[in-house]
Amino acid sequence: MINRYLLAMAGVALLAIAIFFSAFYHTFFIYVPAERMLIIISKTGRDLPPGQIIATEPGQKGIQLAVYGEGRHFVLPYFYETRLEKIVTIPPRKVGVVTSLVGKEPPPGAVLVNTDEKGVWRKVLPPGKYRLNPYAYKIEIHPAVEINPGYVGCVTSLVGKPPKGRFAQPGEKGILQQILQPGLYYLNPLEYRVQEVEIGINQVSFTEANQIRFPSKDAFSIAIEATVEWELLPQHVAQVISEFGGKEAIEEKVIIPQSKSIGRIQGSSYGAKEFLLGTEREKFQTTFTQELEKVCEAKKITIHSAFIRQLSIPDNLLLPIREAFIAVEKEKTAKFWEETRKSASELERERALITQRRAEVKAETSAIVNTIAAQTEQEVGRIEAETQLEVAKKEQEIAAIEASKTVLLGEARATVTRLRGEARSKGLELKIRAFGDNPRAYANYMFARELPPNLQLRLIYSGPGTLWTDLGKTGGLDGLTRLRSLQREAGAATEAAAGGQEVPTGADGASGAAEGAAGAPAR
């Protein structure tokens, strides 16, 4: 029983301790979630000086300038009060203009200040997230400056000293000479104003009620329709904008009044009739364009064309001028036809002359061609005769050479045949002489030489008796051994003959034996 009581008391104690520590942790550790910041307000410390709303130094009472980001932060609730505020988010293509309520006092008359001074900051906040104390800084979000393709930005400084020249320098107020190319710029809208100016080719048309009207030299009312194309180059944007203003102002102050003024001045020097003629009308067009280009060039505006499209002349003047013009043209046409008829007869005569001359040239050409052909044929015949003569001479020389070659070849073949026969007979004579001038021995030697090496002979002595009685006597010397013995005896006889000795009659016997062995018929 006592153990249960003690366990219960211990559990209650642990629970109390856990609750205490949990309460202590959440009371003294303040959690700051994402996209939030923690503002600290001190309940104790020195009072703020008059006019100061934020505690910028340690130990001062009130809202503290420093802020804390995401996470947990230890704060004593007895001494400090806390507040959660949203962080400052500058979205894309926007800038933040900061007004600081704290910092040093700015110089007198300053409109924009540095980041450590009180007032509107010169520096802007580009897109991003910032932890700035909302009680110390006020932030206004403005669009960034975006220059589209085909445009440039003319920048005007809104703060600074008065400019000393046409354009404002750094620290001066007025239009800057430097322009902004297409892109995105984060500029302070309280410091700069940017005017987007189109730099392409623009058109101004003078039509209907806006026609250029003027009296002609002979006091007739003339109206013309025209189109002027002009362009403002980037390097002249700042100067033209500072002098005249934007595109509409340029057209209203320069293009339209100058076009009408030049049209009236130049057109008044021409008579109404001259505007109908191509030459004078083209001259007026050229003069109008050149004068307008010259005037606008001095104002840094480029004129690409000034085209006069239509001229309006009163009908009471146009009809008689037109009839007179048509009459003149008819007269010119009649004269032209008369001249054409004269030209036609002259043309026929010239054609006849041409035909005659053509026939003469053809006859002369034919004669020249025939002459050249005859000369050519004669020359060809002469060349052919000379060629045949040369061929005959060469053929005769070739025939002589062939005959000489045939004789020489015959003699050479006869000599070769004779020499071969002599050599053959001489060789045969020497071979027979080697056998002691015994042709039969030589014949036997040649016969034995041609026998195959594996030939076996058996000598059968043919004595008194018959074949059957001699068969028992065939076991004598091997025939091949006997043949080789005969060859050795023939060789000995040859050496003896070479040494000048007589050949023994045994050689004849050996030869006869060999011959008999080879030629004896088998029984």
Side-chain angles (χ1 to χ4, degrees):
M1 185 68 181
I2 296 175
N3 291 334
R4 292 180 179 178
Y5 178 75
L6 292 175
L7 291 173
M9 293 298 293
V12 171
L14 291 174
L15 180 60
I17 292 171
I19 293 173
F20 172 76
F21 277 104
S22 176
F24 176 82
Y25 181 80
H26 288 86
T27 300
F28 292 94
F29 288 90
I30 306 300
Y31 174 70
V32 181
E35 304 291 330
R36 293 290 190 273
M37 57 184 171
L38 182 64
I39 308 297
I40 304 296
I41 303 173
S42 178
K43 298 179 181 179
T44 61
R46 302 188 309 273
D47 291 333
L48 299 178
Q52 184 176 340
I53 61 174
I54 299 294
T56 58
E57 298 178 4
Q60 290 182 336
K61 181 192 289 186
I63 300 174
Q64 303 296 306
L65 180 61
V67 297
Y68 298 90
E70 294 86 346
R72 290 191 179 274
H73 303 275
F74 178 75
V75 180
L76 293 174
Y78 176 76
F79 299 100
Y80 301 101
E81 182 183 346
T82 59
R83 296 179 185 175
L84 290 177
E85 299 287 347
K86 291 183 179 180
I87 63 174
V88 179
T89 301
I90 307 298
R93 299 181 180 273
K94 303 289 182 180
V95 295
V97 178
V98 182
T99 301
S100 176
L101 305 179
V102 296
K104 299 184 298 183
E105 291 295 331
V111 179
L112 301 176
V113 300
N114 298 323
T115 56
D116 60 346
E117 294 176 341
K118 185 187 296 184
V120 180
W121 285 1
R122 185 183 304 275
K123 179 182 178 181
V124 296
L125 302 179
K129 296 181 183 297
Y130 302 90
R131 297 190 187 96
L132 294 177
N133 196 321
Y135 300 99
Y137 304 99
K138 303 297 182 183
I139 300 175
E140 296 180 1
I141 297 178
H142 295 268
V145 177
E146 185 174 4
I147 307 300
N148 296 310
Y151 293 82
V152 295
C154 183
V155 184
T156 302
S157 177
L158 303 177
V159 295
K161 300 177 182 179
K164 297 179 181 179
R166 177 187 292 272
F167 300 107
Q169 302 301 322
E172 294 181 346
K173 181 179 181 180
I175 296 178
L176 303 182
Q177 187 174 12
Q178 183 180 4
I179 61 174
L180 300 180
Q181 297 296 333
L184 189 65
Y185 300 88
Y186 300 114
L187 300 178
N188 194 326
L190 303 180
E191 183 179 10
Y192 299 106
R193 183 179 68 246
V194 180
Q195 181 180 359
E196 197 175 36
V197 180
E198 186 177 4
I199 58 173
I201 297 177
N202 303 283
Q203 282 189 353
V204 177
S205 297
F206 299 89
T207 57
E208 298 179 357
N210 197 29
Q211 290 181 340
I212 300 176
R213 300 180 181 276
F214 56 88
S216 64
K217 185 171 61 176
D218 44 7
F220 286 97
S221 178
I222 306 296
I224 62 175
E225 293 184 0
T227 298
V228 177
E229 292 183 344
W230 64 278
E231 182 182 8
L232 186 59
L233 299 179
Q235 60 268 27
H236 300 147
V237 168
Q239 180 177 346
V240 177
I241 294 298
S242 64
E243 185 174 354
F244 302 108
K247 172 187 171 184
E248 292 76 10
I250 294 173
E251 293 180 350
E252 292 295 332
K253 296 178 182 180
V254 180
I255 304 299
I256 294 176
Q258 290 297 331
S259 299
K260 290 185 176 181
S261 174
I262 293 171
R264 284 194 295 268
I265 294 173
Q266 297 297 327
S268 299
S269 61
Y270 292 86
K273 182 179 179 181
E274 294 173 340
F275 285 109
L276 295 175
L277 304 178
T279 304
E280 297 300 325
R281 181 170 177 171
E282 183 177 355
K283 182 179 178 181
F284 174 68
Q285 166 76 68
T286 303
T287 305
F288 176 73
T289 302
Q290 292 176 349
E291 290 296 323
L292 185 59
E293 288 177 351
K294 186 187 301 182
V295 172
C296 292
E297 183 180 3
K299 301 180 184 299
K300 306 301 180 184
I301 299 172
T302 302
I303 299 297
H304 289 285
S305 67
F307 179 67
I308 297 176
R309 298 184 299 177
Q310 185 177 352
L311 279 164
S312 298
I313 300 176
D315 292 338
N316 56 355
L317 173 66
L318 184 61
L319 184 59
I321 293 176
R322 183 183 298 166
E323 291 178 352
F325 182 78
I326 292 173
V328 172
E329 292 298 322
K330 286 183 178 180
E331 183 179 357
K332 290 181 180 180
T333 303
K335 291 181 179 180
F336 175 77
W337 279 112
E338 182 65 25
E339 293 176 357
T340 302
R341 283 192 294 271
K342 292 180 180 179
S343 300
S345 60
E346 293 179 357
L347 179 61
E348 291 297 329
R349 183 173 60 83
E350 292 295 333
R351 285 179 177 175
L353 292 175
I354 290 172
T355 303
Q356 180 182 355
R357 182 58 184 164
R358 185 180 295 160
E360 293 176 357
V361 170
K362 185 176 181 181
E364 293 175 357
T365 303
S366 178
I368 293 172
V369 169
N370 294 332
T371 302
I372 293 174
Q375 294 175 353
T376 302
E377 186 176 356
Q378 182 181 359
E379 184 68 17
V380 169
R382 184 181 63 80
I383 294 173
E384 287 181 353
E386 292 178 354
T387 302
Q388 290 176 359
L389 179 61
E390 290 295 328
V391 170
K393 290 180 179 180
K394 296 300 179 181
E395 288 179 350
Q396 183 178 1
E397 292 177 0
I398 292 170
I401 292 171
E402 289 291 335
S404 177
K405 182 180 74 171
T406 302
V407 172
L408 291 175
L409 288 176
E411 293 177 354
R413 289 193 183 99
T415 302
V416 169
T417 303
R418 180 177 58 78
L419 292 176
R420 283 180 178 176
E422 292 177 357
R424 191 179 294 108
S425 62
K426 187 67 176 177
L428 184 60
E429 180 182 355
L430 291 175
K431 291 178 181 179
I432 294 173
R433 188 179 298 170
F435 283 91
D437 291 331
N438 189 349
R440 185 177 181 84
Y442 175 73
N444 291 335
Y445 168 74
M446 292 302 295
F447 173 77
R449 187 177 178 182
E450 297 298 326
L451 292 175
N454 58 353
L455 178 66
Q456 292 183 359
L457 297 177
R458 290 187 182 275
L459 299 178
I460 302 174
Y461 178 77
S462 178
T466 64
L467 173 64
W468 307 108
T469 60
D470 293 336
L471 287 176
K473 301 177 182 181
T474 60
L477 292 175
D478 181 81
L480 181 61
T481 304
R482 179 60 181 166
L483 181 61
R484 290 178 179 173
S485 176
L486 291 175
Q487 290 177 347
R488 285 195 297 268
E489 291 176 0
T494 303
E495 292 176 358
Q501 301 177 1
E502 292 183 1
V503 180
T505 57
D508 293 337
S511 299
E515 182 180 359
R523 295 182 182 181

